[in-house]
Amino acid sequence: MSLLDGVSSSVNAVRPGRTRMRGFDLPLVVVAIALLLFGLLMVYSASIALADGPRYASYGRYYFVIRHGMFLLIGLVAGALVLTVTMQSWQRLSVPLFIGSILLLVAVLIPGIGREVNGAYRWLPLGPLNFQPSELMKFAIVLFAADYTVRKQEHMQNIVRGFVPMALVIALVGMLLLLEPDLGAFIVVVAIAVGILFLGGIDGRLFSALVAVMVSLFFALIWLAPWRRARLFAYLDPWNPDNAYGSAYQLSHSLIALGRGEWLGVGLGASVEKLHYLPEAHTDFIVAVIGEELGFVGVFLVIAGFVIVLQRGFEIGRQAIAMDRTFSGLAALGVSLWFGVQAFINMGVCLGLLPTKGLTLPLVSYGGSGLVMNICAIALMIRVDIENRILMRGGRT
């Protein structure tokens, strides 16, 4: 018996032979596993040459793929634990988990506690590993926003009781993330919270006002920060020599990699740009390596994989809401928004559609806490689906 079937049967005993409905969403599970395994392969391909450079000379050729595999196993264990917790329990844990995430975001800013890398304080050192609280916040905001929407359902049309409290929460989280600074995580967290509020039935005028404020704040943050403003102008003209050797260096080499790949790619492992030309090839710009080695076909298949994950997530959320399980439905929709927004930004940056921003590709890019929380998010979505299917069988969760 598989883990998913075991979880679904342990929640509620269903008479054998009563239905042939599968206990979990097979397309979602298969595609998620495929993306994880493909990510492991591409992290190996993109990082194997890093040891030849002075920066990673002491790491060894297999350093990154071994660590990625280790985090993948940790994520699978954590995901299995997420599967065992009922959505009713997750709703009770949503506020404590959110408060804990806030405290971790504060802790990472305290000198001597948070770890500084290139001027950014985003990590908490845990022995040989580093934990990134902003990744936990993405998971926490999904649960908190879903619970908030359910609790405030009758006040969602009221600006004082429905809109203002959540706006203040978003502002607090945004302030902490921008102090790190981590504009990418800020964008994803805001998109999750605002998206769940919209799907939960917030007044259209309030939603429009919130979006307008967020967009204005986003552009203000870019304009007021010289390095962000430089990235924006470089993105508009990446081939200008001043930009190509400066703020648009990553973008220009990403576009070169994608151009070399053409339709079918130069072959797995044959990328030239990963040979110390394209920085962060195994993390933020892994799509460029995929495009160079596997071509348009490889990038298209990755996009198709995410489309399937999002489609199944929205369908699972719709089913849950149709069965009056609003919190569960909004949580599944929130995870879909998370993956959709982050994948869109990552791919958009690599393809030159968006200004350069440091965000990994969910389930695929090299990462520690990000990969673990991605797997936990998929597990949460699967949990919602399992409970949906139990109810459709006539059981109880």
Side-chain angles (χ1 to χ4, degrees):
M1 178 182 292
S2 69
L3 173 63
L4 298 177
D5 286 326
V7 172
S8 61
S9 61
S10 66
V11 175
N12 185 78
V14 180
R15 291 182 299 179
R18 185 173 180 178
T19 178
R20 292 187 177 183
M21 181 187 296
R22 188 177 288 107
F24 59 94
D25 193 301
L26 184 61
L28 173 61
V29 174
V30 169
V31 173
I33 292 175
L35 286 172
L36 288 169
L37 294 178
F38 179 70
L40 183 65
L41 174 65
M42 293 312 302
V43 166
Y44 170 67
S45 177
S47 65
I48 190 171
L50 291 178
D52 295 333
R55 181 180 177 185
Y56 301 107
S58 62
Y59 281 58
R61 291 185 176 275
Y62 308 107
Y63 173 84
F64 290 101
V65 70
I66 290 174
R67 284 177 65 88
H68 188 77
M70 178 180 65
F71 285 119
L72 179 57
L73 293 176
I74 294 173
L76 292 174
V77 172
L81 294 176
V82 169
L83 277 175
T84 64
V85 180
T86 66
M87 293 307 298
Q88 187 177 17
S89 297
W90 279 119
Q91 186 170 7
R92 289 196 299 267
L93 291 170
S94 61
V95 175
L97 181 62
F98 180 75
I99 294 174
S101 300
I102 289 285
L103 295 176
L104 290 176
L105 287 178
V106 173
V108 82
L109 299 173
I110 300 174
I113 297 180
R115 180 180 175 225
E116 183 268 337
V117 177
N118 296 327
Y121 290 86
R122 302 178 186 175
W123 298 269
L124 291 174
L126 301 175
L129 307 177
N130 292 310
F131 177 70
Q132 196 168 355
S134 59
E135 295 296 336
L136 177 61
M137 175 53 73
K138 295 173 186 176
F139 186 84
I141 198 66
V142 167
L143 298 174
F144 179 80
D147 176 61
Y148 176 89
T149 303
V150 171
R151 287 187 290 107
K152 298 285 187 175
Q153 192 65 55
E154 60 184 50
H155 303 298
M156 292 303 287
Q157 307 298 315
N158 186 293
I159 188 170
V160 175
R161 303 187 66 179
F163 173 77
V164 172
M166 194 62 182
L168 293 175
V169 167
I170 294 175
L172 173 62
V173 174
M175 179 186 68
L176 293 173
L177 289 173
L178 292 174
L179 286 174
E180 293 185 1
D182 194 347
L183 181 60
F186 168 71
I187 294 172
V188 174
V189 167
V190 170
I192 293 170
V194 172
I196 290 177
L197 286 177
F198 174 73
L199 295 170
I202 192 172
D203 180 83
R205 291 170 298 178
L206 296 179
F207 176 75
S208 300
L210 181 59
V211 170
V213 170
M214 292 298 107
V215 171
S216 300
L217 178 60
F218 171 71
F219 282 107
L221 290 171
I222 292 177
W223 190 259
L224 295 175
W227 73 93
R228 291 179 182 141
R229 192 165 63 245
R231 282 187 174 185
L232 176 62
F233 288 117
Y235 146 78
L236 297 174
D237 188 12
W239 301 116
N240 183 302
D242 293 334
N243 295 333
Y245 292 99
S247 299
Y249 181 82
Q250 287 177 299
L251 174 58
S252 61
H253 280 276
S254 175
L255 295 176
I256 291 171
L258 292 165
R260 290 191 73 246
E262 298 184 351
W263 288 98
L264 298 177
V266 297
L268 185 64
S271 167
V272 171
E273 285 298 319
K274 70 182 181 184
L275 304 177
H276 310 288
Y277 294 103
L278 177 62
E280 309 300 335
H282 59 306
T283 55
D284 301 347
F285 283 85
I286 198 167
V287 170
V289 178
I290 294 171
E292 185 178 5
E293 296 189 348
L294 303 178
F296 171 82
V297 173
V299 175
F300 176 80
L301 290 176
V302 172
I303 294 174
F306 278 101
V307 169
I308 293 173
V309 170
L310 299 185
Q311 187 273 330
R312 296 313 307 154
F314 274 95
E315 179 62 19
I316 290 169
R318 184 196 65 79
Q319 290 176 346
I321 292 174
M323 291 186 287
D324 293 325
R325 302 177 62 240
T326 307
F327 170 79
S328 298
L330 291 176
L333 293 172
V335 172
S336 300
L337 290 170
W338 170 3
F339 279 53
V341 170
Q342 187 161 332
F344 174 76
I345 293 175
N346 177 273
M347 294 181 185
V349 166
C350 292
L351 296 172
L353 301 176
L354 296 172
T356 303
K357 188 69 216 80
L359 273 177
T360 57
L361 184 63
L363 303 175
V364 178
S365 292
Y366 171 80
S369 47
L371 180 63
V372 173
M373 297 316 302
N374 290 162
I375 297 174
C376 289
I378 289 290
L380 185 72
M381 194 187 297
I382 295 172
R383 178 70 211 192
V384 174
D385 178 62
I386 288 175
E387 294 189 4
N388 286 348
R389 292 169 186 260
I390 291 173
L391 291 174
M392 285 188 282
R393 288 190 180 109
R396 292 183 301 172
T397 58

